[in-house]
Amino acid sequence: MSASIWEKSGSVAAKFWNEGRADFPVYDMHGHMGTHNGIYMKRSDPESMAAHLRRAGVKHLVFSHHHVLFGAMRNAEVAEICRRYPDLYRMYVGIVPRYPENIREDLAMFDKWAPYAVGLKCLADYYKVPLTDPSWEYALKFADERALPVLFHTWGHSKYNGGEIMLKLVQTYPRLKFFIGHSLYDEWATAERIVKEGNGNVWLELTAIPGEYQRIEKLVSAVGSDRLLYGTDLPWFDEYQAIGGVLSAEISEDDMRNILYRNAERIFGTEW
Ligand SMILES: [Zn+2]
């Protein structure tokens, strides 16, 4: 093998390529679990996902279960899965706007699910209910009062969770920690605006982005690496593909570390 990009990319990347894991913990801030009716995924059960995560050196995956998001399972069952893997899994309490009673019941349990439940997940595109609809309000106020993270599925130009909607939300909830899933994909200028209009409470999350040439570089120069969070949508994407995308980006090693673990540790601490 010739003197390669591996060496030029510096020791963080070289260590990962050569040893299969980094010399720091990686936190994957955007995961799922379980089968999905739209696609076959070979590795979607807790056991095989755990093996993959451990092999790649991921310390925690924060996930929302597909079956919760589709209304076929309750968050209490997900807390039980987390209890079987206390060192690995953390959960976003999935919020389904069509079941207001479930939302109240589940959020009343939030503290009992510590340390596993660390925030909420809202996927408005699935239900075609905009995030500004009153049916989300109880959950968002709950998160705002407690300054909790909420991972929002976002996508550029969506009328349910696109830029216009997210700008309104950032102005409405000054304490809630906005994790902008997929970084408002394809509405990049608005994503930057949302971070800048926020109250220091907005992070862009990278799921679907590491495979796109130079997008990470552009995001780092637009908002700074301290505003970016690593995520994969596991089991939809693979840890190696996504970590490799971050480590292959033309950014500094400090930027890589911010994205892969330091920002998460600033939010959650080093023991969570
Ligand atoms: Zn997702």
Side-chain angles (χ1 to χ4, degrees):
M1 207 171 305
S2 58
S4 63
I5 187 168
W6 299 11
E7 287 152 46
K8 285 184 207 150
S9 352
S11 64
V12 171
K15 179 161 171 80
F16 191 78
W17 307 148
N18 293 326
E19 294 174 29
R21 55 168 62 217
D23 59 0
F24 48 78
V26 171
Y27 301 99
D28 184 341
M29 301 307 300
H30 185 164
H32 297 284
M33 188 180 281
T35 53
H36 188 290
N37 59 3
I39 189 170
Y40 169 70
M41 285 177 289
K42 179 170 165 43
R43 186 175 52 213
S44 65
D45 61 285
E47 290 73 17
S48 55
M49 281 175 51
H52 175 66
L53 290 162
R54 289 185 169 129
R55 203 177 305 127
V58 176
K59 185 171 174 191
H60 293 314
L61 172 76
V62 194
F63 74 100
S64 56
H65 201 292
H66 286 135
H67 299 179
V68 168
L69 298 175
F70 282 113
M73 184 181 183
R74 293 295 297 276
N75 286 295
E77 296 170 71
V78 183
E80 288 308 315
I81 294 172
C82 292
R83 281 193 186 104
R84 284 164 37 210
Y85 298 83
D87 61 325
L88 184 64
Y89 289 129
R90 299 292 178 266
M91 64 187 271
Y92 294 112
V93 173
I95 303 298
V96 182
R98 301 199 187 283
Y99 303 125
E101 284 173 20
N102 291 3
I103 295 174
R104 281 161 200 267
E105 246 179 63
D106 286 0
L107 294 181
M109 290 295 291
F110 190 89
D111 294 331
K112 294 207 171 64
W113 294 334
Y116 307 112
V118 299
L120 315 183
K121 163 79 178 193
C122 300
L123 214 166
D125 269 345
Y126 272 15
Y127 318 109
K128 304 202 184 310
V129 178
L131 287 166
T132 44
D133 186 89
S135 55
W136 296 101
E137 209 175 272
Y138 183 85
L140 297 180
K141 280 188 174 160
F142 179 91
D144 194 53
E145 278 160 16
R146 293 159 166 250
L148 286 178
V150 181
L151 175 62
F152 294 96
H153 169 87
T154 71
W155 207 263
H157 315 290
S158 160
K159 56 184 172 184
Y160 309 111
N161 38 226
E164 205 180 311
I165 299 268
M166 297 314 297
L167 275 169
K168 278 189 200 147
L169 246 53
V170 164
Q171 282 146 13
T172 311
Y173 300 107
R175 289 172 298 272
L176 186 157
K177 293 186 176 75
F178 285 84
F179 291 0
I180 307 289
H182 311 285
S183 297
L184 203 60
Y185 197 94
D186 204 32
E187 221 183 309
W188 310 113
T190 315
E192 181 181 346
R193 228 183 109 194
I194 290 168
V195 172
K196 290 180 176 164
E197 289 190 14
N199 203 15
N201 59 335
V202 183
W203 291 262
L204 303 180
E205 182 277 326
L206 293 180
T207 286
I209 287 169
E212 190 178 323
Y213 184 57
Q214 294 207 324
R215 179 57 56 197
I216 291 176
E217 289 85 336
K218 286 177 186 147
L219 288 171
V220 167
S221 70
V223 301
S225 62
D226 58 337
R227 291 287 121 195
L228 300 180
L229 294 172
Y230 171 75
T232 61
D233 246 348
L234 188 76
W236 291 77
F237 294 94
D238 181 275
E239 296 295 336
Y240 291 106
Q241 186 261 0
I243 295 171
V246 174
L247 297 181
S248 303
E250 291 171 18
I251 55 178
S252 72
E253 287 202 4
D254 256 352
D255 293 331
M256 294 173 185
R257 289 175 184 274
N258 281 344
I259 293 168
L260 291 169
Y261 72 102
R262 279 187 189 145
N263 294 338
E265 290 189 344
R266 284 183 196 116
I267 294 166
F268 296 105
T270 51
E271 299 299 324
W272 57 291

